[in-house]
Structure formats: structure tokens, C-alpha cells
Amino acid sequence: DVKVTQSSRYLVKRTGEKVFLECVQDMDHENMFWYRQDPGLGLRLIYFSYDVKMKEKGDIPEGYSVSREKKERFSLILESASTNQTSMYLCASSPGWDFIIPSSNTFGSGTRLTVV
Amino acid sequence: QKEVEQDPGPLSVPEGAIVSLNCTYSNSAFQYFMWYRQYSRKGPELLMYTYSSGNKEDGRFTAQVDKSSKYISLFIRDSQPSDSATYLCAMSGVKLSFGAGTTVTVRA
């Protein structure tokens, strides 16, 4: 069964800390995505990557960075966590086609981050 | 203006009722139209998707797409308490664009 695994289900961090959220996929997918999900706002794309060491800004990249050193791993970094980054973070992956085929796009279970 | 608009609800219906959900969108380039279901504390799971205008049925679920009006719908017939979840519409081009999600509660 294909899988996208996010390393932590729940995290509590202090304001100003550097935070790493990790995502690993075992499907050999080229594309990987980081979203945040907030009530009433749905899923918003933070960053995505279509290849190793490649990254593209999504709709809300401010305050975040990403790293993709290996094909299977995509990390989201909060350089200096703030309370407005308290949210559910979801990782996803899909094959590297021109557009996303729904049946091939897989989400992780999410990391609920609380910044205090 | 958001690319995808979806009423966040919440929506509460009695068991056995028809649940009607819809989204509007502005980008004509979208290729696929999807509905995801998300249970509490879980990631979204793909429920149904369509590629073109028209209807698609899968058991108690029917998805409709009207590209001329830029409007998509999801209907759940004979709703069950296990259908209680957040339903998100999404559309894809190079990336996915999501609606806000509608929280549905089916009362036993």
C-alpha cells in the first residue's frame, strides 16, 4: 500500500524556535507538496517540489522554507515559529506529470503544530 | 477572489436525508474535479473525481460538474452517521486548489 508518512502527529513548540516537519513517501513520486489547513480556509499550498533540490513557492510561503535532498523526503522548516503558524500541516506526493491525476495524489495523516 | 469557493457550513442533516454540497471556481484551466472526505484528525482521502462535465455515480455518491457555469456538486443519498466528516472540493491543473471544506454531521 502506497504511503506518505509524516514523522509527528502532534507537536508543541515555543515562539522563536526553529521547527522541522518531515515527510517521507515510498512511491518514487517526483512531486511533493506541503499544505496547511485552517478552519474555514481549506488547504493552502505552502511549497512544492517537482524534483530533488528543486522547490517552488505556493500560495503562502512567507515564514517557511523547504528542503528536498532526497527524492523520498521533503522537509518543511519554520525558521522562527510564531503563534500564527499554529495549524494542521499536510504533506502530499504525486507522480511528475504535467497535471495532477487525482487517483495518484496521496496525503499523509497530518501534523498538528501548536506554537505557544 | 479565491480560485475555489465553498461554503464551510456547518451542515447538519437527519439520517437518511440527501446531503448536497457544491463549489464554484474561476480558473477555466482546471482539468480534474475532485471531492475529498476528511475525518477528524486524519488526512483527506479521495472520494470521487471527474474529468469532464456531467454526472458520475458511485454507490450513494453522485458528483456533478458543469464547466459552462464553473460549478461542481456532490450529493450523498441515504446519508449515514458514518458520513459525518468534512468534505473538500478540489481542482487540479499543475497543482491542486482546494475549497474551504464543508463540515457535515448526519444525526442518527
Side-chain angles (χ1 to χ4, degrees), chain A residues 9-10 35 37 40-43 45 59 98-103 105 107-109, chain B residues 2 32 34 36 38 41-44 46 49 88 92-96 98-100:
Chain A
R9 291 299 306 275
Y10 300 95
Y35 299 87
Q37 185 177 22
L41 297 176
L43 274 75
L45 183 64
D59 301 317
D98 288 342
F99 52 89
I100 295 173
I101 306 293
S103 56
N105 187 67
F107 281 91
S109 294
Chain B
K2 285 184 180 180
Y32 285 92
M34 292 149 274
Y36 283 85
Q38 186 176 22
R41 299 186 188 82
K42 299 281 189 182
L46 183 65
Y49 68 94
L88 299 128
S92 75
V94 174
K95 56 186 176 71
L96 293 181
F98 284 86

PDB file of all heavy atoms in Angstrom, chain A residues 9-10 35 37 40-43 45 59 98-103 105 107-109, chain B residues 2 32 34 36 38 41-44 46 49 88 92-96 98-100:
ATOM      1  N   ARG A   9       2.612  13.336  14.737  1.00  0.00           N
ATOM      2  CA  ARG A   9       1.185  13.650  14.659  1.00  0.00           C
ATOM      3  C   ARG A   9       0.875  14.958  15.376  1.00  0.00           C
ATOM      4  O   ARG A   9       0.054  15.736  14.931  1.00  0.00           O
ATOM      5  CB  ARG A   9       0.361  12.529  15.288  1.00  0.00           C
ATOM      6  CG  ARG A   9       0.373  11.228  14.525  1.00  0.00           C
ATOM      7  CD  ARG A   9      -0.203  11.373  13.117  1.00  0.00           C
ATOM      8  NE  ARG A   9      -1.525  11.962  13.092  1.00  0.00           N
ATOM      9  CZ  ARG A   9      -2.655  11.279  13.253  1.00  0.00           C
ATOM     10  NH1 ARG A   9      -2.630   9.987  13.474  1.00  0.00           N
ATOM     11  NH2 ARG A   9      -3.819  11.896  13.192  1.00  0.00           N
ATOM     12  N   TYR A  10       1.553  15.175  16.508  1.00  0.00           N
ATOM     13  CA  TYR A  10       1.335  16.375  17.308  1.00  0.00           C
ATOM     14  C   TYR A  10       2.686  16.943  17.732  1.00  0.00           C
ATOM     15  O   TYR A  10       3.580  16.196  18.111  1.00  0.00           O
ATOM     16  CB  TYR A  10       0.506  16.068  18.568  1.00  0.00           C
ATOM     17  CG  TYR A  10      -0.860  15.501  18.281  1.00  0.00           C
ATOM     18  CD1 TYR A  10      -1.066  14.125  18.280  1.00  0.00           C
ATOM     19  CD2 TYR A  10      -1.941  16.333  17.998  1.00  0.00           C
ATOM     20  CE1 TYR A  10      -2.325  13.599  17.996  1.00  0.00           C
ATOM     21  CE2 TYR A  10      -3.191  15.814  17.722  1.00  0.00           C
ATOM     22  CZ  TYR A  10      -3.376  14.446  17.726  1.00  0.00           C
ATOM     23  OH  TYR A  10      -4.608  13.937  17.453  1.00  0.00           O
ATOM     24  N   TYR A  35       1.062  21.571   2.596  1.00  0.00           N
ATOM     25  CA  TYR A  35      -0.112  22.419   2.780  1.00  0.00           C
ATOM     26  C   TYR A  35      -0.279  22.713   4.270  1.00  0.00           C
ATOM     27  O   TYR A  35       0.154  21.951   5.122  1.00  0.00           O
ATOM     28  CB  TYR A  35      -1.392  21.700   2.328  1.00  0.00           C
ATOM     29  CG  TYR A  35      -1.467  21.302   0.891  1.00  0.00           C
ATOM     30  CD1 TYR A  35      -0.951  20.078   0.453  1.00  0.00           C
ATOM     31  CD2 TYR A  35      -2.099  22.112  -0.044  1.00  0.00           C
ATOM     32  CE1 TYR A  35      -1.043  19.687  -0.876  1.00  0.00           C
ATOM     33  CE2 TYR A  35      -2.201  21.730  -1.379  1.00  0.00           C
ATOM     34  CZ  TYR A  35      -1.664  20.525  -1.780  1.00  0.00           C
ATOM     35  OH  TYR A  35      -1.769  20.131  -3.089  1.00  0.00           O
ATOM     36  N   GLN A  37      -3.702  23.584   6.823  1.00  0.00           N
ATOM     37  CA  GLN A  37      -5.155  23.545   6.825  1.00  0.00           C
ATOM     38  C   GLN A  37      -5.666  24.261   8.052  1.00  0.00           C
ATOM     39  O   GLN A  37      -5.322  23.904   9.187  1.00  0.00           O
ATOM     40  CB  GLN A  37      -5.661  22.102   6.805  1.00  0.00           C
ATOM     41  CG  GLN A  37      -7.168  22.005   6.691  1.00  0.00           C
ATOM     42  CD  GLN A  37      -7.652  20.575   6.587  1.00  0.00           C
ATOM     43  OE1 GLN A  37      -6.965  19.641   6.990  1.00  0.00           O
ATOM     44  NE2 GLN A  37      -8.830  20.380   6.025  1.00  0.00           N
ATOM     45  N   GLY A  40     -12.214  26.958   7.928  1.00  0.00           N
ATOM     46  CA  GLY A  40     -12.796  27.978   7.070  1.00  0.00           C
ATOM     47  C   GLY A  40     -11.924  28.404   5.907  1.00  0.00           C
ATOM     48  O   GLY A  40     -12.367  29.169   5.047  1.00  0.00           O
ATOM     49  N   LEU A  41     -10.695  27.905   5.862  1.00  0.00           N
ATOM     50  CA  LEU A  41      -9.768  28.307   4.796  1.00  0.00           C
ATOM     51  C   LEU A  41      -9.366  27.136   3.902  1.00  0.00           C
ATOM     52  O   LEU A  41      -8.720  27.341   2.866  1.00  0.00           O
ATOM     53  CB  LEU A  41      -8.512  28.952   5.387  1.00  0.00           C
ATOM     54  CG  LEU A  41      -8.731  30.248   6.152  1.00  0.00           C
ATOM     55  CD1 LEU A  41      -7.416  30.737   6.769  1.00  0.00           C
ATOM     56  CD2 LEU A  41      -9.307  31.336   5.243  1.00  0.00           C
ATOM     57  N   GLY A  42      -9.689  25.942   4.293  1.00  0.00           N
ATOM     58  CA  GLY A  42      -9.326  24.787   3.487  1.00  0.00           C
ATOM     59  C   GLY A  42      -7.830  24.528   3.519  1.00  0.00           C
ATOM     60  O   GLY A  42      -7.136  24.915   4.460  1.00  0.00           O
ATOM     61  N   LEU A  43      -7.331  23.864   2.493  1.00  0.00           N
ATOM     62  CA  LEU A  43      -5.898  23.583   2.378  1.00  0.00           C
ATOM     63  C   LEU A  43      -5.247  24.655   1.511  1.00  0.00           C
ATOM     64  O   LEU A  43      -5.725  24.957   0.418  1.00  0.00           O
ATOM     65  CB  LEU A  43      -5.675  22.218   1.719  1.00  0.00           C
ATOM     66  CG  LEU A  43      -5.684  21.001   2.628  1.00  0.00           C
ATOM     67  CD1 LEU A  43      -7.101  20.667   3.055  1.00  0.00           C
ATOM     68  CD2 LEU A  43      -5.044  19.811   1.927  1.00  0.00           C
ATOM     69  N   LEU A  45      -1.555  25.867  -0.190  1.00  0.00           N
ATOM     70  CA  LEU A  45      -0.249  25.346  -0.577  1.00  0.00           C
ATOM     71  C   LEU A  45       0.859  26.281  -0.099  1.00  0.00           C
ATOM     72  O   LEU A  45       0.854  27.477  -0.399  1.00  0.00           O
ATOM     73  CB  LEU A  45      -0.195  25.178  -2.093  1.00  0.00           C
ATOM     74  CG  LEU A  45       1.082  24.571  -2.669  1.00  0.00           C
ATOM     75  CD1 LEU A  45       1.259  23.135  -2.179  1.00  0.00           C
ATOM     76  CD2 LEU A  45       1.032  24.614  -4.194  1.00  0.00           C
ATOM     77  N   ASP A  59       1.125  29.288  -2.403  1.00  0.00           N
ATOM     78  CA  ASP A  59       0.305  30.488  -2.195  1.00  0.00           C
ATOM     79  C   ASP A  59       0.680  31.257  -0.931  1.00  0.00           C
ATOM     80  O   ASP A  59       0.466  32.463  -0.847  1.00  0.00           O
ATOM     81  CB  ASP A  59      -1.171  30.096  -2.141  1.00  0.00           C
ATOM     82  CG  ASP A  59      -1.610  29.409  -3.426  1.00  0.00           C
ATOM     83  OD1 ASP A  59      -1.229  29.884  -4.512  1.00  0.00           O
ATOM     84  OD2 ASP A  59      -2.325  28.393  -3.339  1.00  0.00           O
ATOM     85  N   ASP A  98       2.312  16.552 -16.046  1.00  0.00           N
ATOM     86  CA  ASP A  98       2.014  17.969 -16.255  1.00  0.00           C
ATOM     87  C   ASP A  98       0.895  18.467 -15.362  1.00  0.00           C
ATOM     88  O   ASP A  98       0.812  19.634 -15.045  1.00  0.00           O
ATOM     89  CB  ASP A  98       1.642  18.220 -17.708  1.00  0.00           C
ATOM     90  CG  ASP A  98       2.864  18.110 -18.612  1.00  0.00           C
ATOM     91  OD1 ASP A  98       3.985  18.186 -18.084  1.00  0.00           O
ATOM     92  OD2 ASP A  98       2.686  17.946 -19.821  1.00  0.00           O
ATOM     93  N   PHE A  99       0.000  17.589 -15.023  1.00  0.00           N
ATOM     94  CA  PHE A  99      -1.038  17.974 -14.074  1.00  0.00           C
ATOM     95  C   PHE A  99      -1.339  16.791 -13.172  1.00  0.00           C
ATOM     96  O   PHE A  99      -0.970  15.670 -13.472  1.00  0.00           O
ATOM     97  CB  PHE A  99      -2.295  18.469 -14.782  1.00  0.00           C
ATOM     98  CG  PHE A  99      -2.827  17.532 -15.818  1.00  0.00           C
ATOM     99  CD1 PHE A  99      -3.733  16.544 -15.492  1.00  0.00           C
ATOM    100  CD2 PHE A  99      -2.410  17.639 -17.135  1.00  0.00           C
ATOM    101  CE1 PHE A  99      -4.212  15.686 -16.456  1.00  0.00           C
ATOM    102  CE2 PHE A  99      -2.884  16.780 -18.100  1.00  0.00           C
ATOM    103  CZ  PHE A  99      -3.782  15.799 -17.760  1.00  0.00           C
ATOM    104  N   ILE A 100      -1.989  17.066 -12.098  1.00  0.00           N
ATOM    105  CA  ILE A 100      -2.162  16.049 -11.063  1.00  0.00           C
ATOM    106  C   ILE A 100      -3.330  15.141 -11.410  1.00  0.00           C
ATOM    107  O   ILE A 100      -4.443  15.596 -11.614  1.00  0.00           O
ATOM    108  CB  ILE A 100      -2.371  16.714  -9.700  1.00  0.00           C
ATOM    109  CG1 ILE A 100      -1.100  17.470  -9.301  1.00  0.00           C
ATOM    110  CG2 ILE A 100      -2.733  15.680  -8.647  1.00  0.00           C
ATOM    111  CD1 ILE A 100      -1.249  18.295  -8.054  1.00  0.00           C
ATOM    112  N   ILE A 101      -3.058  13.855 -11.499  1.00  0.00           N
ATOM    113  CA  ILE A 101      -4.113  12.854 -11.649  1.00  0.00           C
ATOM    114  C   ILE A 101      -4.624  12.518 -10.261  1.00  0.00           C
ATOM    115  O   ILE A 101      -3.849  12.104  -9.401  1.00  0.00           O
ATOM    116  CB  ILE A 101      -3.570  11.574 -12.312  1.00  0.00           C
ATOM    117  CG1 ILE A 101      -2.879  11.891 -13.623  1.00  0.00           C
ATOM    118  CG2 ILE A 101      -4.688  10.563 -12.496  1.00  0.00           C
ATOM    119  CD1 ILE A 101      -3.808  12.395 -14.701  1.00  0.00           C
ATOM    120  N   PRO A 102      -5.912  12.720  -9.993  1.00  0.00           N
ATOM    121  CA  PRO A 102      -6.404  12.591  -8.621  1.00  0.00           C
ATOM    122  C   PRO A 102      -6.073  11.268  -7.945  1.00  0.00           C
ATOM    123  O   PRO A 102      -5.690  11.254  -6.778  1.00  0.00           O
ATOM    124  CB  PRO A 102      -7.920  12.758  -8.787  1.00  0.00           C
ATOM    125  CG  PRO A 102      -8.066  13.607  -9.996  1.00  0.00           C
ATOM    126  CD  PRO A 102      -6.955  13.185 -10.915  1.00  0.00           C
ATOM    127  N   SER A 103      -6.194  10.165  -8.675  1.00  0.00           N
ATOM    128  CA  SER A 103      -6.019   8.864  -8.040  1.00  0.00           C
ATOM    129  C   SER A 103      -4.574   8.614  -7.622  1.00  0.00           C
ATOM    130  O   SER A 103      -4.303   7.713  -6.840  1.00  0.00           O
ATOM    131  CB  SER A 103      -6.470   7.751  -8.986  1.00  0.00           C
ATOM    132  OG  SER A 103      -5.769   7.838 -10.211  1.00  0.00           O
ATOM    133  N   ASN A 105      -2.541  11.066  -6.317  1.00  0.00           N
ATOM    134  CA  ASN A 105      -2.116  12.061  -5.332  1.00  0.00           C
ATOM    135  C   ASN A 105      -2.460  11.540  -3.936  1.00  0.00           C
ATOM    136  O   ASN A 105      -3.620  11.266  -3.650  1.00  0.00           O
ATOM    137  CB  ASN A 105      -2.843  13.378  -5.601  1.00  0.00           C
ATOM    138  CG  ASN A 105      -2.333  14.500  -4.732  1.00  0.00           C
ATOM    139  OD1 ASN A 105      -1.202  14.938  -4.850  1.00  0.00           O
ATOM    140  ND2 ASN A 105      -3.170  14.970  -3.821  1.00  0.00           N
ATOM    141  N   PHE A 107      -2.096  11.841   0.358  1.00  0.00           N
ATOM    142  CA  PHE A 107      -1.820  12.695   1.515  1.00  0.00           C
ATOM    143  C   PHE A 107      -1.306  11.883   2.692  1.00  0.00           C
ATOM    144  O   PHE A 107      -1.670  10.720   2.878  1.00  0.00           O
ATOM    145  CB  PHE A 107      -3.097  13.414   1.957  1.00  0.00           C
ATOM    146  CG  PHE A 107      -3.457  14.598   1.119  1.00  0.00           C
ATOM    147  CD1 PHE A 107      -4.282  14.455   0.016  1.00  0.00           C
ATOM    148  CD2 PHE A 107      -2.974  15.856   1.423  1.00  0.00           C
ATOM    149  CE1 PHE A 107      -4.625  15.548  -0.764  1.00  0.00           C
ATOM    150  CE2 PHE A 107      -3.312  16.954   0.645  1.00  0.00           C
ATOM    151  CZ  PHE A 107      -4.131  16.795  -0.452  1.00  0.00           C
ATOM    152  N   GLY A 108      -0.484  12.534   3.521  1.00  0.00           N
ATOM    153  CA  GLY A 108      -0.148  11.998   4.827  1.00  0.00           C
ATOM    154  C   GLY A 108      -1.276  12.279   5.806  1.00  0.00           C
ATOM    155  O   GLY A 108      -2.276  12.924   5.466  1.00  0.00           O
ATOM    156  N   SER A 109      -1.123  11.810   7.035  1.00  0.00           N
ATOM    157  CA  SER A 109      -2.164  11.974   8.060  1.00  0.00           C
ATOM    158  C   SER A 109      -2.122  13.334   8.740  1.00  0.00           C
ATOM    159  O   SER A 109      -3.037  13.681   9.472  1.00  0.00           O
ATOM    160  CB  SER A 109      -2.043  10.882   9.122  1.00  0.00           C
ATOM    161  OG  SER A 109      -2.318   9.624   8.558  1.00  0.00           O
TER     162      SER A 109
ATOM    163  N   LYS B   2     -10.949  34.115  -4.311  1.00  0.00           N
ATOM    164  CA  LYS B   2     -10.363  32.786  -4.285  1.00  0.00           C
ATOM    165  C   LYS B   2     -10.656  32.080  -5.593  1.00  0.00           C
ATOM    166  O   LYS B   2     -11.691  32.295  -6.227  1.00  0.00           O
ATOM    167  CB  LYS B   2     -10.987  31.982  -3.143  1.00  0.00           C
ATOM    168  CG  LYS B   2     -10.516  32.365  -1.760  1.00  0.00           C
ATOM    169  CD  LYS B   2     -11.152  31.414  -0.764  1.00  0.00           C
ATOM    170  CE  LYS B   2     -10.759  31.712   0.636  1.00  0.00           C
ATOM    171  NZ  LYS B   2     -11.396  30.782   1.595  1.00  0.00           N
ATOM    172  N   TYR B  32      -9.157  18.331 -13.594  1.00  0.00           N
ATOM    173  CA  TYR B  32      -9.896  17.337 -12.820  1.00  0.00           C
ATOM    174  C   TYR B  32     -10.643  18.029 -11.688  1.00  0.00           C
ATOM    175  O   TYR B  32     -10.183  19.035 -11.148  1.00  0.00           O
ATOM    176  CB  TYR B  32      -8.944  16.298 -12.219  1.00  0.00           C
ATOM    177  CG  TYR B  32      -8.427  15.293 -13.212  1.00  0.00           C
ATOM    178  CD1 TYR B  32      -7.243  15.506 -13.893  1.00  0.00           C
ATOM    179  CD2 TYR B  32      -9.132  14.120 -13.462  1.00  0.00           C
ATOM    180  CE1 TYR B  32      -6.773  14.602 -14.805  1.00  0.00           C
ATOM    181  CE2 TYR B  32      -8.657  13.198 -14.376  1.00  0.00           C
ATOM    182  CZ  TYR B  32      -7.480  13.438 -15.044  1.00  0.00           C
ATOM    183  OH  TYR B  32      -7.007  12.531 -15.954  1.00  0.00           O
ATOM    184  N   MET B  34     -12.462  17.142  -8.034  1.00  0.00           N
ATOM    185  CA  MET B  34     -12.391  16.104  -7.020  1.00  0.00           C
ATOM    186  C   MET B  34     -13.208  16.446  -5.783  1.00  0.00           C
ATOM    187  O   MET B  34     -13.435  17.626  -5.482  1.00  0.00           O
ATOM    188  CB  MET B  34     -10.937  15.938  -6.568  1.00  0.00           C
ATOM    189  CG  MET B  34     -10.018  15.365  -7.597  1.00  0.00           C
ATOM    190  SD  MET B  34      -8.348  16.001  -7.391  1.00  0.00           S
ATOM    191  CE  MET B  34      -8.481  17.505  -8.355  1.00  0.00           C
ATOM    192  N   TYR B  36     -12.870  15.295  -1.719  1.00  0.00           N
ATOM    193  CA  TYR B  36     -12.157  14.581  -0.677  1.00  0.00           C
ATOM    194  C   TYR B  36     -13.034  14.536   0.574  1.00  0.00           C
ATOM    195  O   TYR B  36     -13.793  15.462   0.855  1.00  0.00           O
ATOM    196  CB  TYR B  36     -10.846  15.294  -0.318  1.00  0.00           C
ATOM    197  CG  TYR B  36      -9.731  15.091  -1.317  1.00  0.00           C
ATOM    198  CD1 TYR B  36      -9.623  15.908  -2.449  1.00  0.00           C
ATOM    199  CD2 TYR B  36      -8.765  14.106  -1.125  1.00  0.00           C
ATOM    200  CE1 TYR B  36      -8.587  15.724  -3.362  1.00  0.00           C
ATOM    201  CE2 TYR B  36      -7.730  13.924  -2.035  1.00  0.00           C
ATOM    202  CZ  TYR B  36      -7.657  14.738  -3.136  1.00  0.00           C
ATOM    203  OH  TYR B  36      -6.631  14.559  -4.041  1.00  0.00           O
ATOM    204  N   GLN B  38     -12.655  14.022   4.742  1.00  0.00           N
ATOM    205  CA  GLN B  38     -11.654  14.084   5.810  1.00  0.00           C
ATOM    206  C   GLN B  38     -12.335  13.876   7.149  1.00  0.00           C
ATOM    207  O   GLN B  38     -13.157  14.689   7.575  1.00  0.00           O
ATOM    208  CB  GLN B  38     -10.922  15.431   5.794  1.00  0.00           C
ATOM    209  CG  GLN B  38      -9.777  15.518   6.772  1.00  0.00           C
ATOM    210  CD  GLN B  38      -9.029  16.836   6.657  1.00  0.00           C
ATOM    211  OE1 GLN B  38      -9.561  17.823   6.166  1.00  0.00           O
ATOM    212  NE2 GLN B  38      -7.775  16.859   7.108  1.00  0.00           N
ATOM    213  N   ARG B  41      -8.930  14.450  12.630  1.00  0.00           N
ATOM    214  CA  ARG B  41      -7.553  14.030  12.930  1.00  0.00           C
ATOM    215  C   ARG B  41      -6.953  13.113  11.863  1.00  0.00           C
ATOM    216  O   ARG B  41      -6.020  12.359  12.138  1.00  0.00           O
ATOM    217  CB  ARG B  41      -7.461  13.364  14.294  1.00  0.00           C
ATOM    218  CG  ARG B  41      -7.860  14.251  15.440  1.00  0.00           C
ATOM    219  CD  ARG B  41      -7.615  13.575  16.772  1.00  0.00           C
ATOM    220  NE  ARG B  41      -8.161  14.329  17.881  1.00  0.00           N
ATOM    221  CZ  ARG B  41      -9.414  14.296  18.256  1.00  0.00           C
ATOM    222  NH1 ARG B  41     -10.262  13.564  17.603  1.00  0.00           N
ATOM    223  NH2 ARG B  41      -9.851  15.013  19.269  1.00  0.00           N
ATOM    224  N   LYS B  42      -7.520  13.143  10.648  1.00  0.00           N
ATOM    225  CA  LYS B  42      -6.970  12.344   9.554  1.00  0.00           C
ATOM    226  C   LYS B  42      -6.668  13.250   8.376  1.00  0.00           C
ATOM    227  O   LYS B  42      -7.183  14.362   8.279  1.00  0.00           O
ATOM    228  CB  LYS B  42      -7.983  11.285   9.107  1.00  0.00           C
ATOM    229  CG  LYS B  42      -8.366  10.292  10.182  1.00  0.00           C
ATOM    230  CD  LYS B  42      -7.298   9.242  10.354  1.00  0.00           C
ATOM    231  CE  LYS B  42      -7.782   8.141  11.271  1.00  0.00           C
ATOM    232  NZ  LYS B  42      -6.720   7.128  11.491  1.00  0.00           N
ATOM    233  N   GLY B  43      -5.835  12.739   7.441  1.00  0.00           N
ATOM    234  CA  GLY B  43      -5.620  13.457   6.199  1.00  0.00           C
ATOM    235  C   GLY B  43      -6.797  13.260   5.252  1.00  0.00           C
ATOM    236  O   GLY B  43      -7.608  12.347   5.428  1.00  0.00           O
ATOM    237  N   PRO B  44      -6.918  14.103   4.241  1.00  0.00           N
ATOM    238  CA  PRO B  44      -8.008  13.942   3.264  1.00  0.00           C
ATOM    239  C   PRO B  44      -7.842  12.651   2.461  1.00  0.00           C
ATOM    240  O   PRO B  44      -6.717  12.272   2.117  1.00  0.00           O
ATOM    241  CB  PRO B  44      -7.844  15.164   2.347  1.00  0.00           C
ATOM    242  CG  PRO B  44      -6.957  16.110   3.078  1.00  0.00           C
ATOM    243  CD  PRO B  44      -6.091  15.279   3.945  1.00  0.00           C
ATOM    244  N   LEU B  46      -9.362  10.685  -1.077  1.00  0.00           N
ATOM    245  CA  LEU B  46     -10.103  10.946  -2.301  1.00  0.00           C
ATOM    246  C   LEU B  46     -11.392  10.135  -2.319  1.00  0.00           C
ATOM    247  O   LEU B  46     -11.379   8.918  -2.167  1.00  0.00           O
ATOM    248  CB  LEU B  46      -9.244  10.587  -3.505  1.00  0.00           C
ATOM    249  CG  LEU B  46      -9.852  10.868  -4.876  1.00  0.00           C
ATOM    250  CD1 LEU B  46     -10.058  12.356  -5.090  1.00  0.00           C
ATOM    251  CD2 LEU B  46      -8.956  10.289  -5.972  1.00  0.00           C
ATOM    252  N   TYR B  49     -13.748  11.610  -8.348  1.00  0.00           N
ATOM    253  CA  TYR B  49     -13.251  12.663  -9.215  1.00  0.00           C
ATOM    254  C   TYR B  49     -13.843  12.500 -10.608  1.00  0.00           C
ATOM    255  O   TYR B  49     -14.233  11.414 -11.022  1.00  0.00           O
ATOM    256  CB  TYR B  49     -11.724  12.690  -9.282  1.00  0.00           C
ATOM    257  CG  TYR B  49     -11.076  11.526  -9.967  1.00  0.00           C
ATOM    258  CD1 TYR B  49     -10.741  11.592 -11.315  1.00  0.00           C
ATOM    259  CD2 TYR B  49     -10.754  10.373  -9.258  1.00  0.00           C
ATOM    260  CE1 TYR B  49     -10.116  10.529 -11.936  1.00  0.00           C
ATOM    261  CE2 TYR B  49     -10.132   9.310  -9.875  1.00  0.00           C
ATOM    262  CZ  TYR B  49      -9.809   9.396 -11.208  1.00  0.00           C
ATOM    263  OH  TYR B  49      -9.186   8.335 -11.828  1.00  0.00           O
ATOM    264  N   LEU B  88     -14.185  18.262   1.140  1.00  0.00           N
ATOM    265  CA  LEU B  88     -13.439  19.315   0.448  1.00  0.00           C
ATOM    266  C   LEU B  88     -13.527  19.099  -1.050  1.00  0.00           C
ATOM    267  O   LEU B  88     -13.275  17.994  -1.541  1.00  0.00           O
ATOM    268  CB  LEU B  88     -11.958  19.274   0.843  1.00  0.00           C
ATOM    269  CG  LEU B  88     -11.646  19.493   2.310  1.00  0.00           C
ATOM    270  CD1 LEU B  88     -10.763  18.389   2.840  1.00  0.00           C
ATOM    271  CD2 LEU B  88     -10.934  20.812   2.505  1.00  0.00           C
ATOM    272  N   SER B  92      -7.668  20.428 -10.156  1.00  0.00           N
ATOM    273  CA  SER B  92      -6.242  20.298 -10.464  1.00  0.00           C
ATOM    274  C   SER B  92      -5.884  20.804 -11.839  1.00  0.00           C
ATOM    275  O   SER B  92      -6.604  20.625 -12.818  1.00  0.00           O
ATOM    276  CB  SER B  92      -5.803  18.842 -10.345  1.00  0.00           C
ATOM    277  OG  SER B  92      -6.257  18.082 -11.439  1.00  0.00           O
ATOM    278  N   GLY B  93      -4.766  21.478 -11.832  1.00  0.00           N
ATOM    279  CA  GLY B  93      -4.009  21.757 -13.031  1.00  0.00           C
ATOM    280  C   GLY B  93      -2.630  21.226 -12.701  1.00  0.00           C
ATOM    281  O   GLY B  93      -2.471  20.052 -12.408  1.00  0.00           O
ATOM    282  N   VAL B  94      -1.639  22.093 -12.666  1.00  0.00           N
ATOM    283  CA  VAL B  94      -0.297  21.703 -12.230  1.00  0.00           C
ATOM    284  C   VAL B  94      -0.312  21.384 -10.736  1.00  0.00           C
ATOM    285  O   VAL B  94       0.452  20.552 -10.253  1.00  0.00           O
ATOM    286  CB  VAL B  94       0.717  22.829 -12.535  1.00  0.00           C
ATOM    287  CG1 VAL B  94       2.076  22.504 -11.959  1.00  0.00           C
ATOM    288  CG2 VAL B  94       0.784  23.073 -14.028  1.00  0.00           C
ATOM    289  N   LYS B  95      -1.168  22.051 -10.007  1.00  0.00           N
ATOM    290  CA  LYS B  95      -1.284  21.784  -8.572  1.00  0.00           C
ATOM    291  C   LYS B  95      -2.757  21.754  -8.202  1.00  0.00           C
ATOM    292  O   LYS B  95      -3.611  22.091  -9.007  1.00  0.00           O
ATOM    293  CB  LYS B  95      -0.531  22.850  -7.775  1.00  0.00           C
ATOM    294  CG  LYS B  95      -0.961  24.289  -8.047  1.00  0.00           C
ATOM    295  CD  LYS B  95      -0.047  25.259  -7.306  1.00  0.00           C
ATOM    296  CE  LYS B  95      -0.387  26.691  -7.632  1.00  0.00           C
ATOM    297  NZ  LYS B  95      -1.649  27.145  -7.058  1.00  0.00           N
ATOM    298  N   LEU B  96      -3.007  21.350  -6.974  1.00  0.00           N
ATOM    299  CA  LEU B  96      -4.393  21.288  -6.510  1.00  0.00           C
ATOM    300  C   LEU B  96      -4.810  22.611  -5.879  1.00  0.00           C
ATOM    301  O   LEU B  96      -4.028  23.230  -5.160  1.00  0.00           O
ATOM    302  CB  LEU B  96      -4.540  20.183  -5.461  1.00  0.00           C
ATOM    303  CG  LEU B  96      -4.370  18.745  -5.911  1.00  0.00           C
ATOM    304  CD1 LEU B  96      -4.569  17.795  -4.740  1.00  0.00           C
ATOM    305  CD2 LEU B  96      -5.317  18.406  -7.034  1.00  0.00           C
ATOM    306  N   PHE B  98      -7.949  23.992  -3.450  1.00  0.00           N
ATOM    307  CA  PHE B  98      -8.989  23.452  -2.588  1.00  0.00           C
ATOM    308  C   PHE B  98     -10.016  24.504  -2.210  1.00  0.00           C
ATOM    309  O   PHE B  98      -9.700  25.687  -2.070  1.00  0.00           O
ATOM    310  CB  PHE B  98      -8.380  22.918  -1.284  1.00  0.00           C
ATOM    311  CG  PHE B  98      -7.684  21.601  -1.429  1.00  0.00           C
ATOM    312  CD1 PHE B  98      -6.365  21.551  -1.826  1.00  0.00           C
ATOM    313  CD2 PHE B  98      -8.349  20.421  -1.168  1.00  0.00           C
ATOM    314  CE1 PHE B  98      -5.719  20.339  -1.966  1.00  0.00           C
ATOM    315  CE2 PHE B  98      -7.708  19.204  -1.298  1.00  0.00           C
ATOM    316  CZ  PHE B  98      -6.394  19.162  -1.701  1.00  0.00           C
ATOM    317  N   GLY B  99     -11.240  24.028  -1.985  1.00  0.00           N
ATOM    318  CA  GLY B  99     -12.237  24.835  -1.321  1.00  0.00           C
ATOM    319  C   GLY B  99     -12.001  24.797   0.186  1.00  0.00           C
ATOM    320  O   GLY B  99     -11.136  24.074   0.680  1.00  0.00           O
ATOM    321  N   ALA B 100     -12.799  25.573   0.922  1.00  0.00           N
ATOM    322  CA  ALA B 100     -12.611  25.698   2.367  1.00  0.00           C
ATOM    323  C   ALA B 100     -13.012  24.432   3.109  1.00  0.00           C
ATOM    324  O   ALA B 100     -12.587  24.211   4.236  1.00  0.00           O
ATOM    325  CB  ALA B 100     -13.405  26.881   2.898  1.00  0.00           C
TER     326      ALA B 100
END
